[in-house]
Amino acid sequence: MEVKKLSISWQFLIVLVLFLHILSALDFDPYRVLGVSRTASQADIKKAYKKLAREWHPDKNKDPGAEDKFIQISKAYEILSNEEKRAHYDHYGDAGESQGYSGKQQREYRFRHFHDNFYFDDSFFHFPFNSERRDSVDEKYLLHFSHYVNEVVPDSFKKPYLIKITSDWCFSCIHIEPVWKEAVQELEALGVGIGVVHAGYERRLAHHLGAHSTPSILGIINGKVSFFHNAVIRENLRQFVESLLPGNLVEKVTNKNYVRFLSGWQQENKPHVLLFDQVPAAPLPYKLIAFAHKDYVSFGYVCVAVRGAEEMTRQYNINVFAPTMLIFKEHIQQPADVIQARGLKKHVIDDFITQNKYLLAARLTSQKLFHELCPVKRSHRQRKYCVVLLTAEASTTSKPFEAFLSFALANTQDTVRFVHVYSSRQPEFASTLLPDSEKFQGRSGVSILEKRNTGGRVVFKTLDEPWTGSENDQFVLLGYLEQLRRDPGLLSSEAVLPDLTDELAPIFLLRWFYSASDYISDFWDGMLHNNWREMMPLLSLIFSALFILFGTVIVQAFSDSTDEPEASPPDKEEAPEKAGKTEPSFTKESNSKIPKKGFVEVTELTDITYTSNLVRLRPGHMNVVLILSNSTKTSLLQKFALEVYSFTGSSCLHFSFLSLDKHREWLEYLLEFAQDAAPIPNQYDKHFMERDYTGYVLALNGHKKYFCLFKPQKTVEEEEALGACRDLDSSLHPGDARGKSSCGLGSKPIKGKLSKLSLWMERLLEGSLQRFYIPSWPALD
């Protein structure tokens, strides 16, 4: 009897411990952590947070539980400082979807830990709708909102994505799961991206995709979302993925058009690939590979099982019983490379195309292509040289170009790349490399160049004589290349090349037509399937555009009618007005010759630009903010621009300034997180508002919520000036020695505050500066 009572007591104790363990995960109350009431204002919450953060910061408080306490304080302030999260907590007891998801994970972990310690059987607490057990295959495909925006959408321009929307307690999700697994195994091997969105945990992403019911299956390509509306079988899913791809991706090639197709390298500036196979249409794996490499290679398909391909099979000696892939470059009579095998694998074809995705002597048609073909020198052992032929547009079949092409084909050096440029389409680029002499007028020239930085600075050597393609010209060029291997100093000339014009970019009307056709197709697809909830944003956009258009016309009509009766000003006043207008137009013309990177763009950080320039700054980007006052604005901005000018080539850096007179409280709040960077102001100290923060520079990372601090060092000239001011003030005002100085600093000491800013910027790019993390960015009042 006593043994039975003891057993019952142990069971009761286990259940009680389990109950208390679960309650401990739900016992987080941000109001109790900060010690404020539920009706507390934002000012009271902020004040309580500052006090507790200073008290429990792990660097100042050596208590063993200080770190956990500080994390709880930061978490509580993050919830209560955000009105949306605070309202959600007041109503539901958690901070929202992300908070709930992490809390659920934490509770599940604690329960598992308790379960493992007491050796429960695997069938204990097992429910048939437990998403963790049922969707274990989908775990590696789970998507979050940030992952979708930063990785899936950009990657959808190279491969289509198939995404499933699921949730807990979804009977239909269980029914389609076997078909989904089979389709995923097949399509993922072909190169299709797979994703799974749990609508319960990722409500924001599901709403963004327009999925309002589960299960839903959708496809994403080129950032565009398309829904799957057919029966969920593997063949329908395969056809859905194929329908996402553009219709003109692979051209059907026969005896009648293969010469025209292969000769398109001159216009498209791309190699051309031909696949010979017996199936009537191009297979899906080939279309997926064509979509992934569409920016570099054009693809065609030849069906050898029907009449119309005999001439090509004889000319290129094709084995019709095995899939064969040929790649052609400048010479269409013979392929540049061949691959033939039964069951060609995706990685084999990818490697085959990657090794041949450029022409032998490609034409530089854009700045992007120039960076890829002629990369920047990274070290002395990784030098890359470009041999550039500057020729007329109509001379690609002439002797100079054919000789240059033959020279490029015979080249065996991996460090040399051959390209050509049409002088008529890129006149500024050509004039920079060719000398101003009459012998090069209307003739071709060859230059050897090496890029030194992404800003366009190159060192080059232009052949003294025009390029005619003769044996002597080829011998001279070969001698220069051999000498360049031993002596890189041969490239003695230096210049900054202008950016190349994108020759293949579609015109504005064509881009507008493509966009309009996409919107019309989306609208028609939505009308067919009566998906009104998905069509509401598009309908709202159309009606808004029509309203703005008609409103603009009406306002313009009324403004024209009111402007007509106005009398024209006297002639004497018109003359100075016209004279004043001609001067800006002259300045504009003169400024057009200045390089685009000849200035530093510095914007003011205000409550309007605060969100875009800091809070929602893209990952990897930083905003470098200069602190100044109204009196020091001009001199500090000039010095700031000079110091950071050499760093403006990086697209990840943005430059701003903050007015100390307007936003001192925001700055004081940030500096509290910088240990030993600035003394924490005391509200009872009447002189703390007089601290001079002008010349401070903050590098703010809005995504990761940290900043780096630059404190200006006082120069000897500034200290002498301050000492003289203190002596003068002490003699004139002996009773108020801590007041404001009666004499100001000159412009030179003020500019001297930023004298070491360039060295600090170099350390910032190296990542060697100390980082000060902050739980959330405060509002900029």
Side-chain angles (χ1 to χ4, degrees), residues 210 212 227 229 522-536 539:
H212 306 289
F227 279 83
H229 299 285
D522 293 344
F523 179 81
W524 183 252
D525 182 68
M527 291 291 292
L528 287 177
H529 297 95
N530 296 322
N531 201 349
W532 294 105
R533 297 185 67 175
E534 299 175 18
M535 293 300 300
M536 284 303 296
L539 293 175

Short mmCIF file of all heavy atoms in Angstrom, two decimals, residues 210 212 227 229 522-536 539:
data_model
loop_
_atom_site.label_atom_id
_atom_site.label_comp_id
_atom_site.label_asym_id
_atom_site.label_seq_id
_atom_site.Cartn_x
_atom_site.Cartn_y
_atom_site.Cartn_z
N GLY A 210 -0.15 36.69 -51.31
CA GLY A 210 -1.55 36.65 -51.73
C GLY A 210 -2.21 35.31 -51.49
O GLY A 210 -3.25 35.04 -52.09
N HIS A 212 -4.43 33.17 -49.34
CA HIS A 212 -5.41 33.36 -48.27
C HIS A 212 -6.06 32.06 -47.84
O HIS A 212 -7.00 32.09 -47.03
CB HIS A 212 -6.50 34.34 -48.74
CG HIS A 212 -5.94 35.64 -49.24
ND1 HIS A 212 -5.38 36.58 -48.39
CD2 HIS A 212 -5.83 36.16 -50.49
CE1 HIS A 212 -4.98 37.62 -49.09
NE2 HIS A 212 -5.23 37.40 -50.38
N PHE A 227 -0.31 31.57 -59.47
CA PHE A 227 -0.93 30.52 -58.66
C PHE A 227 -1.24 29.29 -59.52
O PHE A 227 -1.57 29.39 -60.70
CB PHE A 227 -2.20 31.04 -58.01
CG PHE A 227 -1.95 31.83 -56.76
CD1 PHE A 227 -1.62 33.18 -56.84
CD2 PHE A 227 -2.02 31.24 -55.51
CE1 PHE A 227 -1.37 33.91 -55.69
CE2 PHE A 227 -1.78 31.96 -54.37
CZ PHE A 227 -1.45 33.30 -54.45
N HIS A 229 -3.74 26.29 -60.25
CA HIS A 229 -5.18 26.13 -60.08
C HIS A 229 -5.69 24.75 -60.49
O HIS A 229 -6.91 24.53 -60.45
CB HIS A 229 -5.92 27.19 -60.91
CG HIS A 229 -5.61 28.59 -60.51
ND1 HIS A 229 -6.11 29.17 -59.37
CD2 HIS A 229 -4.83 29.53 -61.10
CE1 HIS A 229 -5.67 30.41 -59.28
NE2 HIS A 229 -4.88 30.66 -60.31
N ASP A 522 -1.71 39.40 -66.23
CA ASP A 522 -2.07 39.15 -64.83
C ASP A 522 -3.54 39.44 -64.59
O ASP A 522 -4.23 38.69 -63.88
CB ASP A 522 -1.20 40.02 -63.90
CG ASP A 522 0.25 39.60 -63.94
OD1 ASP A 522 0.53 38.48 -64.42
OD2 ASP A 522 1.10 40.39 -63.52
N PHE A 523 -4.02 40.55 -65.15
CA PHE A 523 -5.42 40.92 -64.97
C PHE A 523 -6.34 39.86 -65.58
O PHE A 523 -7.34 39.45 -64.98
CB PHE A 523 -5.67 42.29 -65.59
CG PHE A 523 -7.09 42.76 -65.48
CD1 PHE A 523 -7.55 43.34 -64.30
CD2 PHE A 523 -7.96 42.64 -66.54
CE1 PHE A 523 -8.84 43.77 -64.18
CE2 PHE A 523 -9.27 43.07 -66.44
CZ PHE A 523 -9.72 43.64 -65.25
N TRP A 524 -6.02 39.39 -66.78
CA TRP A 524 -6.85 38.40 -67.45
C TRP A 524 -6.83 37.07 -66.70
O TRP A 524 -7.86 36.40 -66.57
CB TRP A 524 -6.37 38.21 -68.88
CG TRP A 524 -7.20 37.26 -69.68
CD1 TRP A 524 -6.88 36.01 -70.09
CD2 TRP A 524 -8.53 37.50 -70.17
NE1 TRP A 524 -7.90 35.44 -70.79
CE2 TRP A 524 -8.93 36.34 -70.86
CE3 TRP A 524 -9.39 38.59 -70.08
CZ2 TRP A 524 -10.17 36.24 -71.46
CZ3 TRP A 524 -10.63 38.48 -70.68
CH2 TRP A 524 -11.02 37.31 -71.36
N ASP A 525 -5.67 36.69 -66.20
CA ASP A 525 -5.58 35.45 -65.43
C ASP A 525 -6.42 35.54 -64.17
O ASP A 525 -7.09 34.58 -63.78
CB ASP A 525 -4.11 35.17 -65.08
CG ASP A 525 -3.94 33.86 -64.33
OD1 ASP A 525 -4.16 32.80 -64.92
OD2 ASP A 525 -3.60 33.91 -63.13
N GLY A 526 -6.39 36.70 -63.49
CA GLY A 526 -7.21 36.87 -62.30
C GLY A 526 -8.69 36.88 -62.60
O GLY A 526 -9.51 36.35 -61.84
N MET A 527 -9.09 37.44 -63.74
CA MET A 527 -10.51 37.45 -64.12
C MET A 527 -10.99 36.03 -64.42
O MET A 527 -12.14 35.67 -64.10
CB MET A 527 -10.70 38.34 -65.34
CG MET A 527 -10.49 39.82 -65.07
SD MET A 527 -11.77 40.52 -64.02
CE MET A 527 -13.17 40.44 -65.13
N LEU A 528 -10.14 35.21 -65.03
CA LEU A 528 -10.56 33.86 -65.37
C LEU A 528 -10.81 33.01 -64.14
O LEU A 528 -11.72 32.18 -64.10
CB LEU A 528 -9.51 33.19 -66.26
CG LEU A 528 -9.41 33.70 -67.72
CD1 LEU A 528 -8.28 32.99 -68.43
CD2 LEU A 528 -10.72 33.47 -68.46
N HIS A 529 -10.01 33.22 -63.12
CA HIS A 529 -10.12 32.38 -61.93
C HIS A 529 -10.85 33.07 -60.79
O HIS A 529 -10.90 32.55 -59.68
CB HIS A 529 -8.71 31.95 -61.45
CG HIS A 529 -7.98 31.12 -62.45
ND1 HIS A 529 -7.08 31.66 -63.36
CD2 HIS A 529 -8.01 29.78 -62.71
CE1 HIS A 529 -6.59 30.70 -64.13
NE2 HIS A 529 -7.13 29.55 -63.75
N ASN A 530 -11.39 34.27 -61.04
CA ASN A 530 -12.20 34.99 -60.05
C ASN A 530 -11.47 35.18 -58.73
O ASN A 530 -12.04 35.08 -57.66
CB ASN A 530 -13.53 34.24 -59.78
CG ASN A 530 -14.40 34.19 -61.02
OD1 ASN A 530 -14.45 35.15 -61.78
ND2 ASN A 530 -15.09 33.08 -61.22
N ASN A 531 -10.19 35.42 -58.83
CA ASN A 531 -9.39 35.62 -57.61
C ASN A 531 -9.38 37.10 -57.28
O ASN A 531 -8.40 37.81 -57.48
CB ASN A 531 -7.96 35.10 -57.85
CG ASN A 531 -7.25 34.82 -56.55
OD1 ASN A 531 -7.72 35.19 -55.48
ND2 ASN A 531 -6.12 34.16 -56.65
N TRP A 532 -10.48 37.59 -56.75
CA TRP A 532 -10.65 39.03 -56.56
C TRP A 532 -9.74 39.57 -55.48
O TRP A 532 -9.30 40.72 -55.55
CB TRP A 532 -12.11 39.32 -56.20
CG TRP A 532 -13.03 39.01 -57.33
CD1 TRP A 532 -13.87 37.94 -57.46
CD2 TRP A 532 -13.18 39.77 -58.54
NE1 TRP A 532 -14.53 37.98 -58.65
CE2 TRP A 532 -14.14 39.11 -59.34
CE3 TRP A 532 -12.61 40.95 -59.03
CZ2 TRP A 532 -14.53 39.57 -60.58
CZ3 TRP A 532 -12.99 41.42 -60.26
CH2 TRP A 532 -13.94 40.74 -61.02
N ARG A 533 -9.45 38.79 -54.47
CA ARG A 533 -8.59 39.30 -53.39
C ARG A 533 -7.18 39.56 -53.90
O ARG A 533 -6.52 40.49 -53.47
CB ARG A 533 -8.56 38.30 -52.24
CG ARG A 533 -9.92 38.08 -51.60
CD ARG A 533 -9.82 37.19 -50.39
NE ARG A 533 -9.08 37.84 -49.32
CZ ARG A 533 -8.93 37.32 -48.11
NH1 ARG A 533 -9.47 36.13 -47.84
NH2 ARG A 533 -8.26 37.94 -47.17
N GLU A 534 -6.72 38.76 -54.85
CA GLU A 534 -5.40 38.98 -55.41
C GLU A 534 -5.40 40.14 -56.41
O GLU A 534 -4.38 40.78 -56.63
CB GLU A 534 -4.90 37.71 -56.11
CG GLU A 534 -4.76 36.52 -55.18
CD GLU A 534 -4.39 35.26 -55.93
OE1 GLU A 534 -3.94 35.40 -57.07
OE2 GLU A 534 -4.59 34.17 -55.38
N MET A 535 -6.57 40.39 -57.04
CA MET A 535 -6.65 41.44 -58.05
C MET A 535 -6.90 42.82 -57.47
O MET A 535 -6.78 43.81 -58.18
CB MET A 535 -7.77 41.10 -59.05
CG MET A 535 -7.50 39.86 -59.89
SD MET A 535 -5.99 40.04 -60.86
CE MET A 535 -6.39 41.47 -61.85
N MET A 536 -7.25 42.91 -56.19
CA MET A 536 -7.57 44.21 -55.61
C MET A 536 -6.40 45.20 -55.67
O MET A 536 -6.61 46.37 -56.00
CB MET A 536 -8.04 44.03 -54.16
CG MET A 536 -9.47 43.51 -54.05
SD MET A 536 -10.65 44.59 -54.90
CE MET A 536 -10.49 46.09 -53.93
N LEU A 539 -6.30 46.47 -59.32
CA LEU A 539 -7.44 47.34 -59.63
C LEU A 539 -7.29 48.68 -58.94
O LEU A 539 -7.60 49.73 -59.52
CB LEU A 539 -8.74 46.64 -59.19
CG LEU A 539 -9.12 45.37 -59.98
CD1 LEU A 539 -10.34 44.73 -59.35
CD2 LEU A 539 -9.38 45.71 -61.44
#
